[in-house]
Amino acid sequence: MAATEAITQFAYRTQKTIGLIDGHPQYSHQPGFNKPETNNRCCTYSPDGRYFAWACNEDVKVASPDTGEIVTTLPAQNVHEIGFSPRGSYIITWERPTKQEDGGASKNLKIWKTETAEHVVAFVQKSQSGWNLQYTYDEKYCARVVTNTVQFFEATNMNEVWKNLRVEGVTEVALSPGKNYSVAAFVPERKGNPAIVKIFQGPNFDDVLSQKSFYKADRVQLKWNALGTSVLVFSQTDADKTGKSYYGETNLYLITVAGNYDCRVSLDKEGPIHDVAWSTDSKEFGVVYGFMPAKTTIFDARANAIHQLPTGPRNTILFSPHARLVLVAGFGNLQGSMDIYDRQAGMKKICTIEASNASVCEWSPDGRHVLTATTSPRLRVDNGVKIWHYTGGLMYTIDLDELYHVTWLPQSASMHPLPNPLPPAPTAHESALTHVATTTPKKPAGAYRPPHARNTATPLHFKREDEGGAAHIYANGSGGGSGSGSNGLFGKGRRREVPGAAPAEKLVPGAAPGGGVSLAGTGAGADEENLSRTAVKNKKKREAAKKAKAEQQQQAASTAGNGTLQEPQPDREGREGNGRNPHQHHTRSKSRNNQQGEGHRRSKSKTGGENQNRHGRHHSEQQLHIRTGADNLAPPIDPSTPQKRQTDLDAEPQTPDGTPSTQDKKLRGLHKKLRAIEDLKQRLANGEKLEDTQLKKIRTEEQVRRELNGFA
């Protein structure tokens, strides 16, 4: 290591303490820093690396990372957020908003001078998101967003607004990190108007240098390159109207400050955008996108694809400080694998590092090491920090209980020259050697396989796309495999509906998607394939009843013309033309209690069931007697005379236009009431408990019979 090369450092914050640890090659705590043993809410370095600040309940302390000595103390209580200006001259604190005695909101956003702890100014900032001020690179101006306005201040005179930039509906602002005083402002969709991003040029901010309007943007991330010449607009929506993603739609746009070029970045794989990052030299940017396994592409400054990396379960991309190496990883619900590529060697893959359960990943300022950490509250076990060499070796590890935050000390890449060719890995720290020696490598469990399929090759349709399997096709949120609406392997799939999404287009059964000729033959019977068994059964019953009614009407018309009545011909089972046995009558119930009663009766003993069957046959005979009106409604029936059943009479037209008369309708309704009463009486005799309304209905039997006698 050269004598002029600086030593890296990282800070960590746990539930009980804060610490500073020097990096390679020492890997030891900063000797001059006294770790505070108290409840600390936040900590951060200044962007220039001169200061390190942390907040506790009583105050905010600022120390020097080089010596660990406290430089100043701010009299600010209950601070939840800390920030610095680019050169560390000012420190900004944010407290939870409270109400004053007069009912007004307290000024909870405060600016202080770092060296003297002098209070400069305070503002009201209710939202914690986007709470910090944004400074220009030289700290000459700073900006904050209020309703429909971007306020600019001179850093030396914060008591009054220096410039107001009026932008109706502005929600997001990003100042350029370059030396051009540019600012990008975002206005979301409103009342049918598209969203728009405008770039203004300072210090007057009167002229619009460039703008881009687009739809499908409820919120955006504005990502400037280091030079401040271009900005990437990463747009997102709350819901996906196509139903393909539960997390909304994403798009990416490129806008240049010069105004001579803007475009939508074209991505050749369907799915969401997982991550976007500029190269530190501002010449390229990388995008991880698409349904898993995701695809990673490197674009130039004009959004032309120049490198395409292999697909895999990845969702993060990071460029090293020297822009020499590229890290592509998969964290969160992915395995934590990190691939490192060398840009100067034509994106040659150097190694793959397995950092499972990592929630933090950062390049070190020297461009040779990568820091990963498992933090709370995402995971409350196995919390700690690991430092890896770019060649894949573990250099240092430390276990920390309830780790909440970890970050590198900001340093310029010029402080750590990167030799060419790249240096090999140095000797690892003792903690890493012990960890490797005591940790048994975990054998990947993989997916469950049934006993008969073990020790055999995995079929292609079970492999991921990056493992040699076929690409998974997404159609309205469900995989469209080989023609069955699912994956073509396990039968017919169910259409997946996303809450809040527009309904998917319903295809005609047997028709090809988008119209045209069906690929499944004539499509006959395809409508029944889309119906359940119960629906198909009910459909057949309706068609049979409709056909029987048409035949009866045709037969009635023919017999009326001939002046004779023809007796319906029975079938093999003794049933008449409409498919029902004249000696078989079924009782129906309109109450759910009947279903419970039937289930209760099924569970009784065999003897009880036979008694009930005899009782049921006796009841059916009584009911048949009532329906035909043997004693009350009509004279005795001559067996030699052909007679029609009640259902046949109901089916016959009673008026010239084929509709039953009012008297027939009323008579039919009385018979229906009487059948329902008999059914309730039978259930009551079986010991079933009836409701009050059902008992009241039984008491109306005499009245119904009187009305029937009146019709007779």
Side-chain angles (χ1 to χ4, degrees):
M1 184 175 65
T4 57
E5 186 176 345
I7 298 176
T8 59
Q9 184 186 97
F10 67 89
Y12 66 86
R13 178 177 66 89
T14 65
Q15 185 184 23
K16 298 180 179 179
T17 186
I18 288 177
L20 301 178
I21 298 180
D22 293 332
H24 174 76
Q26 287 89 350
Y27 293 116
S28 61
H29 284 81
Q30 169 60 250
F33 182 74
N34 294 324
K35 296 192 294 184
E37 302 292 339
T38 182
N39 184 18
N40 304 285
R41 289 200 175 105
C42 56
C43 66
T44 186
Y45 286 106
S46 62
D48 61 346
R50 289 194 301 157
Y51 302 106
F52 174 73
W54 69 94
C56 55
N57 294 332
E58 296 78 16
D59 51 25
V60 176
K61 291 182 171 58
V62 183
S64 171
D66 297 332
T67 62
E69 297 179 356
I70 295 178
V71 176
T72 185
T73 301
L74 307 180
Q77 298 180 355
N78 299 321
V79 172
H80 288 262
E81 298 285 353
I82 301 176
F84 282 92
S85 59
R87 296 182 177 179
S89 302
Y90 300 94
I91 184 171
I92 304 95
T93 62
W94 182 86
E95 307 165 9
R96 289 193 181 276
T98 58
K99 287 187 178 181
Q100 299 178 345
E101 295 180 356
D102 58 356
S106 62
K107 294 183 178 181
N108 58 328
L109 180 65
K110 301 176 182 179
I111 294 92
W112 315 74
K113 288 187 177 180
T114 306
E115 294 183 353
T116 62
E118 177 187 351
H119 182 260
V120 178
V121 71
F123 301 100
V124 176
Q125 177 65 35
K126 295 182 179 180
S127 175
Q128 189 172 3
S129 61
W131 64 274
N132 201 1
L133 298 178
Q134 297 189 45
Y135 283 83
T136 57
Y137 75 99
D138 56 0
E139 296 184 350
K140 186 175 182 180
Y141 305 105
C142 64
R144 66 187 297 259
V145 180
V146 296
T147 306
N148 299 327
T149 304
V150 183
Q151 295 179 344
F152 290 90
F153 300 86
E154 290 181 316
T156 57
N157 183 17
M158 297 287 294
N159 292 319
E160 60 182 12
V161 179
W162 173 72
K163 183 77 173 181
N164 281 323
L165 176 61
R166 181 74 178 180
V167 182
E168 191 72 24
V170 61
T171 59
E172 189 78 21
V173 166
L175 265 66
S176 166
K179 301 180 180 181
N180 49 7
Y181 291 160
S182 299
V183 57
F186 167 71
V187 179
E189 298 181 45
R190 184 180 180 185
K191 297 181 179 179
N193 296 323
I196 188 170
V197 172
K198 296 182 179 180
I199 299 179
F200 300 88
Q201 179 64 47
N204 295 326
F205 303 107
D206 294 331
D207 300 330
V208 178
L209 299 179
S210 179
Q211 66 180 16
K212 179 73 174 176
S213 58
F214 43 85
Y215 286 97
K216 298 181 180 180
D218 296 326
R219 59 188 182 278
V220 298
Q221 297 179 32
L222 302 173
K223 296 177 177 288
W224 285 95
N225 60 1
L227 296 177
T229 57
S230 300
V231 60
L232 286 170
V233 182
F234 179 21
S235 66
Q236 297 173 278
T237 60
D238 295 329
D240 186 358
K241 294 183 179 179
T242 63
K244 296 180 180 179
S245 174
Y246 182 80
Y247 300 99
E249 296 183 72
T250 55
N251 288 290
L252 187 64
Y253 304 91
L254 175 65
I255 308 175
T256 59
V257 172
N260 56 357
Y261 187 77
D262 63 76
C263 69
R264 175 180 175 181
V265 180
S266 178
L267 304 176
D268 56 356
K269 184 177 176 64
E270 187 178 10
I273 299 174
H274 304 287
D275 194 19
V276 181
W278 276 102
S279 170
T280 49
D281 59 6
S282 300
K283 296 179 181 179
E284 300 171 358
F285 64 91
V287 186
V288 184
Y289 58 95
F291 293 112
M292 292 295 166
K295 191 173 184 178
T296 304
T297 303
I298 308 298
F299 298 86
D300 62 11
R302 288 291 179 121
N304 298 313
I306 55 177
H307 294 291
Q308 289 190 348
L309 304 181
T311 59
R314 304 291 184 263
N315 58 8
T316 303
I317 182 170
L318 296 171
F319 288 84
S320 66
H322 301 85
R324 173 72 183 269
L325 305 175
V326 182
L327 182 148
V328 181
F331 298 121
N333 58 350
L334 302 178
Q335 295 179 352
S337 301
M338 300 186 298
D339 299 329
I340 297 180
Y341 299 88
D342 188 356
R343 290 177 63 198
Q344 292 188 8
M347 298 304 291
K348 178 182 178 182
K349 184 176 178 179
I350 299 177
C351 69
T352 297
I353 302 173
E354 297 296 335
S356 60
N357 299 328
S359 52
V360 176
C361 180
E362 293 182 4
W363 278 102
S364 69
D366 63 7
R368 309 175 195 178
H369 298 85
V370 178
L371 180 148
T372 62
T374 303
T375 59
S376 295
R378 184 180 179 272
L379 283 176
R380 298 188 180 274
V381 295
D382 298 333
N383 285 185
V385 178
K386 293 180 181 178
I387 296 179
W388 312 80
H389 196 258
Y390 75 90
T391 57
L394 180 63
M395 296 287 103
Y396 175 74
T397 180
I398 181 174
D399 295 330
L400 299 167
D401 293 335
E402 291 197 48
L403 176 64
Y404 288 101
H405 180 62
V406 61
T407 182
W408 284 107
L409 168 68
Q411 293 175 327
S412 173
S414 60
M415 299 174 63
H416 303 274
L418 191 65
N420 192 12
L422 295 173
T427 304
H429 188 261
E430 183 180 355
S431 62
L433 298 176
T434 305
H435 178 80
V436 173
T438 57
T439 303
T440 57
K442 296 181 179 179
K443 183 179 179 181
Y448 170 78
R449 303 188 71 177
H452 69 274
R454 295 170 187 171
N455 300 323
T456 59
T458 304
L460 290 179
H461 51 259
F462 285 120
K463 288 186 177 182
R464 294 199 310 259
E465 184 178 353
D466 58 314
E467 296 176 344
H472 193 60
I473 302 175
Y474 289 82
N476 191 32
S478 60
S482 57
S484 66
S486 175
N487 52 12
L489 301 172
F490 302 105
K492 182 176 172 294
R494 181 174 63 88
R495 184 182 296 273
R496 178 170 175 259
E497 299 292 344
V498 179
E505 178 185 3
K506 294 183 178 180
L507 300 177
V508 177
V517 181
S518 170
L519 302 180
T522 61
D527 52 347
E528 293 189 2
E529 293 181 0
N530 296 329
L531 298 177
S532 63
R533 295 177 59 184
T534 306
V536 173
K537 184 177 180 180
N538 293 337
K539 180 181 178 182
K540 292 180 178 179
K541 286 183 178 180
R542 291 193 298 268
E543 292 176 351
K546 185 177 180 181
K547 182 178 180 181
K549 184 175 180 180
E551 292 177 354
Q552 291 169 0
Q553 291 179 354
Q554 183 179 3
Q555 182 180 8
S558 60
T559 52
N562 298 332
T564 59
L565 290 175
Q566 296 182 1
E567 183 179 1
Q569 297 296 328
D571 59 5
R572 296 179 181 178
E573 300 180 2
R575 294 177 295 185
E576 296 181 4
N578 60 354
R580 292 185 59 184
N581 194 319
H583 301 290
Q584 181 181 0
H585 298 272
H586 297 277
T587 58
R588 294 178 296 174
S589 173
K590 301 294 182 180
S591 172
R592 292 182 300 175
N593 294 335
N594 186 41
Q595 299 176 2
Q596 300 173 0
E598 289 177 358
H600 178 70
R601 289 193 294 271
R602 293 191 194 104
S603 63
K604 290 186 178 181
S605 63
K606 182 177 180 181
T607 305
E610 293 176 355
N611 294 335
Q612 290 181 8
N613 291 337
R614 289 194 295 268
H615 179 77
R617 288 194 297 269
H618 178 68
H619 173 70
S620 300
E621 294 173 359
Q622 291 181 349
Q623 193 169 14
L624 177 62
H625 183 73
I626 293 172
R627 290 181 182 177
T628 54
D631 295 333
N632 302 322
L633 303 180
I637 300 175
D638 186 1
S640 61
T641 305
Q643 299 292 333
K644 288 194 175 184
R645 295 176 290 106
Q646 183 64 37
T647 54
D648 297 335
L649 294 174
D650 293 341
E652 288 184 356
Q654 303 297 327
T655 58
D657 58 353
T659 59
S661 63
T662 305
Q663 185 176 0
D664 293 336
K665 290 182 179 179
K666 192 169 182 179
L667 183 61
R668 192 180 306 167
L670 291 174
H671 281 290
K672 185 177 180 180
K673 288 182 180 180
L674 197 58
R675 289 195 298 269
I677 291 173
E678 290 295 332
D679 186 46
L680 292 174
K681 288 170 64 177
Q682 181 183 2
R683 290 164 54 189
L684 184 62
N686 292 335
E688 184 177 342
K689 185 177 180 180
L690 303 181
E691 299 177 0
D692 294 339
T693 55
Q694 295 172 328
L695 295 174
K696 188 181 296 184
K697 189 172 185 179
I698 293 176
R699 290 195 290 268
T700 61
E701 179 182 8
E702 186 177 354
Q703 180 182 355
V704 174
R705 292 188 181 278
R706 283 200 301 267
E707 294 183 9
L708 283 173
N709 293 333
F711 275 100

